[in-house]
Amino acid sequence: MTVLEHMKAMSPERFLSIYRSLERQGFGPLDADVAKSLRFRPQAIRKLPMEQRAKRARMLIESTKNANLAYEIVGGYLLKTCKDLVVGFLDATDVKHQEG
């Protein structure tokens, strides 16, 4: 199953939970892309509830079939919540990295 297929199968609540967990200083991980799609200035996106931003981010990923955006979300979440697992996997498979 690809990351895009996983994203499609994910419940809206789960996606929102992941999206919200990656928030930094009031911005979600794909808020710049969401703002651009809505023709908002990047700062103005913070006025929208996180639920709307997450829903739009997910729609962008699924409608464009953009695996890079999906990997950005999933990868960021894994590094934040399971860093030891990611680093262990990379070490075990001899992939060069800097702390994941």
Side-chain angles (χ1 to χ4, degrees):
M1 190 177 251
T2 69
V3 70
L4 289 171
E5 291 169 336
H6 279 287
M7 185 99 22
K8 238 181 188 174
M10 192 181 297
S11 73
E13 295 81 16
R14 180 68 178 141
F15 184 84
L16 174 60
S17 172
I18 290 170
Y19 198 81
R20 189 174 267 147
S21 77
L22 296 173
E23 179 182 350
R24 283 193 214 149
Q25 299 176 344
F27 289 102
L30 298 179
D31 278 357
D33 298 293
V34 170
K36 186 177 178 181
S37 76
L38 295 171
R39 297 178 189 215
F40 280 22
R41 292 182 329 234
Q43 291 292 339
I45 198 70
R46 289 173 33 172
K47 293 179 182 176
L48 287 178
M50 188 58 75
E51 293 81 7
Q52 282 183 302
R53 291 187 265 165
K55 184 177 179 179
R56 184 68 177 204
R58 185 175 182 170
M59 186 207 68
L60 286 172
I61 292 168
E62 291 178 0
S63 68
T64 61
K65 297 181 180 167
N66 191 329
N68 289 333
L69 292 178
Y71 281 116
E72 186 176 329
I73 295 286
V74 174
Y77 181 75
L78 285 174
L79 279 175
K80 184 174 183 174
T81 61
C82 306
K83 187 174 181 177
D84 292 339
L85 178 70
V86 173
V87 169
F89 173 79
L90 295 173
D91 288 342
T93 56
D94 294 324
V95 175
K96 292 182 182 181
H97 62 92
Q98 294 177 351
E99 294 299 313

